[in-house]
Amino acid sequence: MTLALTLELSELAIEISREAGELAHTRRQEGVRLAATKSTLADIVTDADREVEALIRDRLRAARAEDGFLGEETGAEAGGSGITWVVDPIDGTVNYAYGIPAYNVSIAAVRGEPDPASWEVLAAVVNAPALGEIFSAALGHGAWSGGTRLAVTEETPAGALLATGFGYDPATHEGDLATVSRVMPMARDVRRMGAAALDLAYVAAGRLDGYFERGLRPWDFAAGTLLVTEAGGAVTRTDVDSARPMLIAGGRDVHARLLALLTENR
Ligand code: LIP
């Protein structure tokens, strides 16, 4: 895989995310309409999610017709190039619906089967239009935001600033809260921002020391994981054969401590 190709994919993702982010932002200002609920009543999709995904899919098809596609709202379409685009048109949909600016357009190009167990993420963008920030990465070329190279944090004696999230299914909340209590001994505090891709971008940017969450879908984390690794951090998925695999990300020390705490038997 050449550096030129990963850069080209990353530039395309950034360009498309700008248009997609503007569309999401405009639709938000016009007022959000709930289109449907998905796995549970709390798991929503808006008209804007669908419209933004359609725009991204059209632009990718026009630029790279041979590539595959895997999107949160419209599912999978196989390609012939060995590269698949993994897209969350609006990550943080509940924030979006409530008017909280922590939502983003997340686009990743992956090589291999479009399965996080084996794929290699080549290029990534997380564009948060209401925050005016774009985080991007190309494999082997670092992670960037507005001309600044991103770097994860080193562990400090004050404890780690961690983020997490909770599943949409109320039946999972008790277990997720038990997980939070497991990591509290190493935390200085915990954030729940409501957008997994942004949590990962913040780990890459050194605004969080670590992040963990169960039950994420591939489009929630495809782009964010490359941001973290290209910023010098580590990412691991555990319990991959369970219904709700755990994603753990952070600077190397914090990641190792999270991994130890979250995988030890009790
Ligand atoms: C959501 C995440 C959120 C997480 C939810 C869900 P959506 O993505 O980013 O932080 O806790 O489980 O995956 O549904 O807004 O694209």
Side-chain angles (χ1 to χ4, degrees):
M1 185 58 48
T2 64
L3 194 56
L5 176 62
T6 62
L7 278 173
E8 186 185 312
L9 296 172
S10 152
E11 273 155 27
L12 176 64
I14 293 169
E15 184 190 314
I16 294 175
S17 85
R18 285 188 199 279
E19 199 184 345
E22 265 172 41
L23 177 61
H25 193 51
T26 302
R27 292 290 179 262
R28 173 59 247 178
Q29 285 169 326
E30 291 166 358
V32 168
R33 204 183 75 85
L34 195 63
T37 57
K38 298 192 286 186
S39 58
T40 67
L41 285 178
D43 186 4
I44 55 171
V45 56
T46 70
D47 284 339
D49 288 86
R50 291 174 173 168
E51 195 183 355
V52 173
E53 183 158 318
L55 180 142
I56 296 169
R57 200 167 182 156
D58 282 354
R59 297 295 180 270
L60 287 170
R61 200 177 279 129
R64 294 186 54 92
E66 292 305 306
D67 293 350
F69 185 86
L70 175 63
E72 175 169 20
E73 312 304 342
T74 53
E77 185 182 326
S81 66
I83 291 172
T84 301
W85 293 90
V86 183
V87 171
D88 192 341
I90 299 177
D91 171 57
T93 308
V94 175
N95 283 348
Y96 186 74
Y98 274 75
I100 297 171
Y103 64 87
N104 65 90
V105 174
S106 173
I107 304 176
V110 307
R111 181 168 61 164
E113 286 299 308
D115 173 353
S118 60
W119 74 29
E120 180 179 37
V121 187
L122 302 177
V125 62
V126 171
N127 181 340
L131 302 175
E133 289 196 297
I134 297 180
F135 305 88
S136 66
L139 184 65
H141 189 71
W144 299 82
S145 181
T148 302
R149 189 162 187 164
L150 305 181
V152 296
T153 54
E154 305 280 339
E155 196 172 19
T156 70
L161 184 61
L162 301 173
T164 190
F166 302 96
Y168 287 126
D169 181 355
T172 62
H173 291 167
E174 199 179 326
D176 287 344
L177 286 167
T179 303
V180 172
S181 68
R182 268 190 174 207
V183 305
M184 281 318 277
M186 64 172 284
R188 73 189 292 161
D189 207 339
V190 176
R191 301 285 181 265
R192 195 303 187 239
M193 286 188 300
L198 208 52
D199 287 319
L200 289 161
Y202 278 19
V203 170
R207 297 175 187 174
L208 290 170
D209 299 309
Y211 165 70
F212 59 94
E213 182 165 351
R214 275 198 187 281
L216 294 174
R217 308 305 303 280
W219 40 81
D220 294 319
F221 61 81
T225 55
L226 185 67
L227 296 176
V228 173
T229 53
E230 285 295 322
V235 180
T236 303
R237 284 177 82 231
T238 65
D239 298 340
V240 289
D241 295 326
S242 77
R244 303 182 69 229
M246 167 77 82
L247 187 89
I248 299 170
R252 292 196 172 273
D253 293 341
V254 168
H255 167 270
R257 291 185 66 199
L258 278 173
L259 189 59
L261 280 172
L262 295 175
T263 54
E264 76 186 7
N265 286 324
R266 290 205 175 170

